[in-house]
């Protein structure tokens, strides 16, 4: 039983993002759509988190983060209450261990290092690259940083009775980050529910922050799906900061090595203007050229989109 | 990506209403029901809101407001997480713009100006009047007040691919409010999903706060549904405040101008006693006379009811 | 209508439990399972509560408590938003009255008095004893304590139109608590949806806290289900506190008096180590011997389990 006395010492930070705007989707199969929608630059969310200092550098940590559609009031991630993140763990000099529904090392790398759009707006990297966003029943370990090097390991239990490997997820990343340079090698693989095949994604990416406000991004991914089809993804992009303004651009090439040869190229540009440290206005344009019947669409941080062209205009408020 | 540093500056107000009590419903088709229920005077809710001062009178605002059944713990509004309100916007000297799931100008007028019961208890106006409560994917603009005059405009995107007018909602209101007098003219119309017909509601209402604690309400609405059937609604009501006590009464006439001639009259009285500024006890009685097979029922702020007579007894706590 | 001014005075405490760990389930029908899961020692939760002092010892109170799976981010209790608790009420010298979704007097007794495991870990009492956890549409009254004696009454409205007794729940408890000794007699009964039969559970339990850190628990329950089948449950258990460590053990006997004779015996041991007042690590082992085809399983605070043996290892953080 949890004592009432302990409960009275509240130690929770309530935080979130309210992101709303207009999205024009052009060139979709069912026709054009204009949306008043949510989470275009960053997914709209409401979170609860806390850290308790246990002494000797040890801390207990938790995060409960809901994703929401501010356009409809519905919970995101298929209706999950804390569909973005839900975990508890311990951190200390040994690194950090956490259990729960967590971002995969793969996704944190594509969002935070590879993509100048941070997987948002009409240039979102996961419109083309594999997302592998979150893993349920996950145990993660993040090492401390040593001479610029750090590593993450992730295991997602499949929880299939009688077969411990069915539905299991494995992931890991190695990062070198020193001054303006960050390089990450990350791998993600998932067994199917009968443990007869697994998908695999491997990514090498680098980001360099130049002194003049320009940041360059480059990424190369190698993929194999459950049927054994192989493909490669490449990204080249960058951002420029000038006062309250930020310009973003990226180009993504998808090369399908299967017989279908579903290649594609995505081009995107974006512009953000900061009204404050917590609030910005944004606009972006993205277009994808699908070859040989490929069906990539321009999405954003929340929506996978319906058209080959997307235009964004909106506001993001962080609280 | 949203920076952790910005997130640490929490600036959220957590607020809500816990309203619970007894409702007796008499004269329903399936028999009488006695309920221990939620949200009788005001819908039970839990909300999160914030305002950031951006300088020069400009502010960024958001509201995420959940509706809940305190009798069962279930989310209201059909299970939506933030089914009451979810929006973000900017306000300044130009007025206020907001995007998201919002109250229609129509609903804010019937609840806040037309109805002495504020759309709660056994006298709730929307047991008879059109509710048009909330609109998804809505862009709203509220003007500043100028010499007593103000206006609101609302556009709800239909988001049907290939047809921008399908499912669309339009609304607008003009308000004159000076001293004890408030007068509002409001209009609401909604296209059906194929854009072949729309429903329309127009309302003129006035409220006058007399110096002796009496407030009078009068409202006249003209309606046309998707099939072209027309009807009118009239309300006459008032409240009297005496110390911690508040008495409420209203009479509503519904005149059905279609061949069915489904007329109805609703009578209701209520009494509230304030235990504090945030907590009150309430009781109310409402009855509706249905003519020619009309099927109006006595509801309250949350429940649409099952009987032609309703009795309420409960407590509302605002936090 | 709820005034904005009143809303601005926020008075909410945000609290919760983040409990995550590993559960090994052995001997289940579908095979062994190893889970990274949530709420093993205490159900993971996020709650909002408040109390307003109304003067003269009178207070308005509310609790909105969500249950969640930190392993998946999903809402617990079948997807309810505030599925653990949702109620509002008044307390004063007369005792406390509350309306909403509440714990039954039965459940509070088995969890807080009868079970040394507090209905958590692999020794959770409700793997065998009746749970009767929560009741919707419930009015409760808790008396003040007088010379060590107190009482609770609970009525859960069935809310079936035309039959006030259908689906109704009745409960009550009498408690004597003075110094180290607590004794409770509690009863719970529930009508079926057609009011043609009801289930009944009656429990007598005692807990004694010895001066040396040992606490002993004993409980005896008599049950009758909707079909008239009778059974008895007995528990003998205890806890020992030594500094930051706590050892727990219990034995439960289930005697089925029906023709099926589905008897069972559950054995469990646990160990908790406090990292702080708010955070502890835990491990536990439980096993149930099912006789004559009985199908009891080793569960925990959240999961009803799949096997006859359960092993737990995890962390509980109270915030």
């Amino acid at each position: 039983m949890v004592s009432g006395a302990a409960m009275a010492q509240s130690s929770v930070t309530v935080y979130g993002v309210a992101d709303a705007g207009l999205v024009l989707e052009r060139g979709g199969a069912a026709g054009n759509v204009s949306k008043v929608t949510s989470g275009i630059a960053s997914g709209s969310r409401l979170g609860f988190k806390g850290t308790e200092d246990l002494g000797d550098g040890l801390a207990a940590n938790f995060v409960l983060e809901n994703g929401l559609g501010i356009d409809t009031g519905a919970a995101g991630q298929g209706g999950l209450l804390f569909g973005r993140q839900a975990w508890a763990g311990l951190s200390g000099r040994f690194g950090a261990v956490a259990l729960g529904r967590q971002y995969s090392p793969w996704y944190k790398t594509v969002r935070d290092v590879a993509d100048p759009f941070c997987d948002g707006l009409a240039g979102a990297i996961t419109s083309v690259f594999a997302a592998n966003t979150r893993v349920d029943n996950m145990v993660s370990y993040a090492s401390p940083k040593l001479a610029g090097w750090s590593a993450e390991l992730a295991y997602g239990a499949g929880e299939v009775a009688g077969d411990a490997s069915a539905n299991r997820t494995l992931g890991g990343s190695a990062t070198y980050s020193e001054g303006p340079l960050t390089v990450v090698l990350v791998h993600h693989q998932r067994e199917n529910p009968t443990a007869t095949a697994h998908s695999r994604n491997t990514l090498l990416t680098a980001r360099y922050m130049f002194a003049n406000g320009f940041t360059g991004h480059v990424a190369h991914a190698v993929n194999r799906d459950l049927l054994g089809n192989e493909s490669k993804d490449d990204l080249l992009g960058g951002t420029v900061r000038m006062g309250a303004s930020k310009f973003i651009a990226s180009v993504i090439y998808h090369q399908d090595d299967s017989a279908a040869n579903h290649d594609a190229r995505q081009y995107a540009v974006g512009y953000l203007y900061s009204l404050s440290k917590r609030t910005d206005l944004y606009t972006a344009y993205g277009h994808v050229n699908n070859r040989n019947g490929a069906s990539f669409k321009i999405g954003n941080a929340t929506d996978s989109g319906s058209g080959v062209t997307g235009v964004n205009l909106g506001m993001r408020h962080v609280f």
Side-chain angles (χ1 to χ4, degrees), chain A:
Chain A
M1 184 188 49
V2 172
S3 83
M7 280 185 161
Q9 309 165 252
S10 185
S11 49
V12 187
T13 300
V14 184
Y15 68 92
V17 175
D19 179 325
L22 310 178
V23 171
L24 311 185
E25 299 175 357
R26 297 292 177 258
N32 297 338
V33 194
S34 300
K35 297 177 175 174
V36 176
T37 191
S38 170
I40 303 167
S42 297
S44 294
R45 72 197 70 172
L46 177 70
F48 304 84
K49 63 181 176 182
T51 291
E52 184 195 12
D53 184 350
L54 297 169
D56 272 328
L58 195 67
N61 313 295
F62 77 93
V63 169
L64 299 172
E65 191 174 291
N66 160 263
L68 65 103
I70 207 165
D71 50 343
T72 62
Q77 290 79 43
L80 290 172
L81 183 60
F82 296 110
R84 291 184 63 88
Q85 297 186 69
W87 54 265
L90 291 170
S91 60
R93 283 190 288 264
F94 65 90
V97 171
L99 282 77
R101 176 173 169 85
Q102 302 177 66
Y103 287 114
S104 69
W106 171 276
Y107 184 69
K108 287 191 286 186
T109 305
V110 297
R111 181 192 62 187
D112 299 348
V113 181
D115 188 3
F117 284 94
C118 303
D119 199 36
L121 298 173
I125 187 172
T126 61
S127 295
V128 176
F129 276 63
N132 299 322
T133 314
R134 299 170 182 99
V135 179
D136 283 347
N137 314 309
M138 177 170 149
V139 182
S140 68
Y141 167 71
S143 80
K145 198 170 160 180
L146 204 72
W149 288 93
S150 59
E152 279 197 48
L153 294 171
Y155 168 82
E159 300 196 352
V160 174
D163 188 341
S165 63
N167 221 24
R168 181 180 59 185
T169 305
L170 297 172
S173 66
T175 300
Y176 178 79
S177 181
E178 198 63 55
L181 175 69
T182 299
V183 181
V184 187
L185 176 67
V186 60
H187 182 73
H188 185 93
Q189 71 179 63
R190 175 154 197 172
E191 298 291 323
N192 68 3
T194 50
T196 53
H198 60 262
S199 61
R200 285 195 310 216
N201 305 97
T202 308
L203 173 76
L204 181 64
T205 181
R207 183 187 62 202
Y208 195 91
M209 295 167 150
F210 293 89
N212 58 2
F214 173 73
T215 301
H217 299 251
V218 58
H220 177 71
V222 180
N223 315 295
R224 201 178 75 165
D225 69 14
L226 286 171
L227 302 172
N229 294 319
E230 302 197 334
S231 65
K232 298 187 197 77
D233 294 299
D234 286 277
L235 176 145
L236 192 67
T239 63
V240 181
R241 285 189 182 277
M242 296 176 65
S245 291
K246 184 179 178 184
F247 299 86
I248 319 175
S250 72
V251 183
I252 297 177
Y253 295 75
H254 177 75
Q255 181 187 323
D256 180 0
D257 295 330
S258 75
N261 202 19
H262 283 164
D263 291 355
R265 294 188 183 186
Q266 177 179 296
Y267 309 87
V269 289
Y271 171 73
L272 291 91
Y273 180 81
S274 292
L275 296 172
S276 76
K277 282 192 178 178
R278 300 202 284 122
T279 304
D280 52 13
L281 305 176
Y282 55 76
T283 185
Y285 168 89
H287 179 75
V288 60
N289 283 333
N290 286 305
R291 310 282 168 82
N292 311 313
S295 58
F296 293 95
K297 296 176 190 74
I298 294 294
N300 55 55
T302 297
D303 198 331
S304 55
S306 70
V308 295
T309 301
V311 180
N312 309 148
L313 177 66
M315 181 185 94
R316 174 176 52 183
H317 174 65
V318 178
F319 56 90

